[in-house]
């Protein structure tokens, strides 16, 4: 008689060992999770140090995985570009032939501009930048939004410093290790940034939603009508963020709050800049009031 297919694990020594290892790993995982939960409750500073150490160890692997993912994502685009390269080349040649005069004028303007820049010793420099680094990973699969920056205290990065990209504000440094730093993104529910609306200067708050978008919330009841296309920039109120940095653009209408899309997307950024915290200049000292002129005494009258 053929053996039954529904044999229990007890008939196979390999199945018994596999089941035993599964139980051991499950129990070990539960014990480690309970220990980490207890550590985060009893000693938050120690838990933060442990988490920073783990981030230090995993940063090289995260950077390598990010490079591989970017390489794989660029394969379809490279294939499509290779397929269209012949037609695109012909179109570009025809366009260059039609615009030969404009092209020569543009080249002359570029050369002249470069000459004037050298004569004037023109340099664009931001003295507030502390470090320029890469965001090697982000927590896109969680309701909390963090980014891991490939720079830390050894590069001058400290807690509370703002982080921005070429497009706009990314967030602020939450924890800084020796060579890595954890960034609280503007899309995190715990992030609140004071902003103003460009079209009328109305003050508002940008708060994270945890889903890749932000909410723009009114501060007062006057003109709380939010519209799609409204641009919001930092105000510098409360410090930390330098005024005038782009934060988000409105995507929906609302009265008290409305959804908006951040300008900077950490998952597609290659380089991020860490700046010093902004401190508003002190108010000007009041001008001294003129001393009153003495009134003549009655005895001096004739």
């Amino acid at each position: 008689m053929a053996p039954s297919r529904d044999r229990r694990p007890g008939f196979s020594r390999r199945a018994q060992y596999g089941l035993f290892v599964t139980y051991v790993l499950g129990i070990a995982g539960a014990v480690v999770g309970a220990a980490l939960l207890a550590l985060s409750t009893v000693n938050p500073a120690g838990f933060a140090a442990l988490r920073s150490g783990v981030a230090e160890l995993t940063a090289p692997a995260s950077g390598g995985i990010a490079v591989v993912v970017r390489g794989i994502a660029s394969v379809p685009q490279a294939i499509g570009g290779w397929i269209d390269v012949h037609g695109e080349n012909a179109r570009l040649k025809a366009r260059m032939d039609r615009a030969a005069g404009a092209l020569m004028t543009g080249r002359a303007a570029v050369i002249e501009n470069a000459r004037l820049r050298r004569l004037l010793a023109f340099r664009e420099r931001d003295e507030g930048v502390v470090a320029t680094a890469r965001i090697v990973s982000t927590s896109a699969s969680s309701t909390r939004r963090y980014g891991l920056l490939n720079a830390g205290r050894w590069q001058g990065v400290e807690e509370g410093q703002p982080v921005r990209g070429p497009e706009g504000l990314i967030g602020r440094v939450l924890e800084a290790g020796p060579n890595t730093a954890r960034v609280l993104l503007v899309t995190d529910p715990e992030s609140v940034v004071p902003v103003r609306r460009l079209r009328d200067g109305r003050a508002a708050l940008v708060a994270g939603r945890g889903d890749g978008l932000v909410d723009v919330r009114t501060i007062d009841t006057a003109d709380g009508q939010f519209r799609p296309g409204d641009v919001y920039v930092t105000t510098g109120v409360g410090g930390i963020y330098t005024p005038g940095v782009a934060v988000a653009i409105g995507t929906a209408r609302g009265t008290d709050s409305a959804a908006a899309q951040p300008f900077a997307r950490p998952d597609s950024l290659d380089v991020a800049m860490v700046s010093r915290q902004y401190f508003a200049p002190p108010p000007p000292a009041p001008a001294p009031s003129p001393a009153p002129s003495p009134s003549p005494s009655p005895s001096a009258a004739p």
Side-chain angles (χ1 to χ4, degrees), residues 239-286:
I240 300 181
Y241 304 108
T242 304
V245 179
V247 179
I249 182 171
T251 58
R253 294 183 178 273
T255 303
D256 296 328
S257 65
Q261 175 71 48
F263 280 105
R265 297 181 55 187
D267 56 346
S268 61
L269 283 176
D270 285 336
V271 177
M273 293 177 290
V274 183
S275 304
R276 296 185 179 91
Q277 294 189 27
Y278 172 75
F279 297 98

Side-chain angles (χ1 to χ4, degrees), residues 39-58:
L39 179 62
S40 65
T41 304
V42 176
N43 188 3
F47 180 74
L50 178 61
R51 182 168 51 193
S52 178
V54 173
E56 291 286 336
L57 294 176
T58 58

Side-chain angles (χ1 to χ4, degrees), residues 109-123:
V110 170
I111 294 173
E112 182 67 14
N113 190 22
R115 187 182 68 84
L116 292 176
R117 284 176 181 265
R118 287 194 301 269
L119 291 176
L120 297 175
F122 179 78
R123 292 181 300 177

Side-chain angles (χ1 to χ4, degrees), residues 85-209:
V85 66
H86 298 291
E88 186 68 20
N89 190 21
R91 289 192 295 270
L92 288 176
K93 285 183 177 180
R95 185 179 300 177
M96 290 182 63
D97 292 338
R98 291 193 301 267
L103 182 61
M104 295 302 296
T105 303
R107 288 178 178 176
V110 170
I111 294 173
E112 182 67 14
N113 190 22
R115 187 182 68 84
L116 292 176
R117 284 176 181 265
R118 287 194 301 269
L119 291 176
L120 297 175
F122 179 78
R123 292 181 300 177
E124 297 179 354
R125 179 180 299 176
D126 189 351
E127 298 293 341
V129 174
V130 174
T132 302
R134 295 181 181 274
I135 294 184
V136 297
S137 64
T138 55
S139 57
S141 60
S142 172
T143 56
R144 301 305 304 271
R145 290 293 189 262
Y146 299 111
L148 184 61
L149 191 69
N150 195 17
R153 290 193 300 268
W154 291 353
Q155 291 78 26
V157 178
E158 299 178 358
E159 297 180 5
Q161 292 177 338
V163 182
R164 59 186 175 90
E167 293 84 4
L169 184 67
I170 298 175
R172 59 181 173 87
V173 177
L174 191 63
E175 298 174 359
N179 276 311
T180 59
R182 204 156 63 112
V183 179
L184 182 72
L185 305 181
V186 294
T187 54
D188 186 86
E190 297 295 328
S191 173
V192 178
V193 181
V195 298
R196 64 181 176 88
R197 191 167 52 192
L198 278 184
R199 63 181 172 89
D200 56 3
R202 179 68 59 183
L205 296 174
V206 165
R209 294 174 32 158

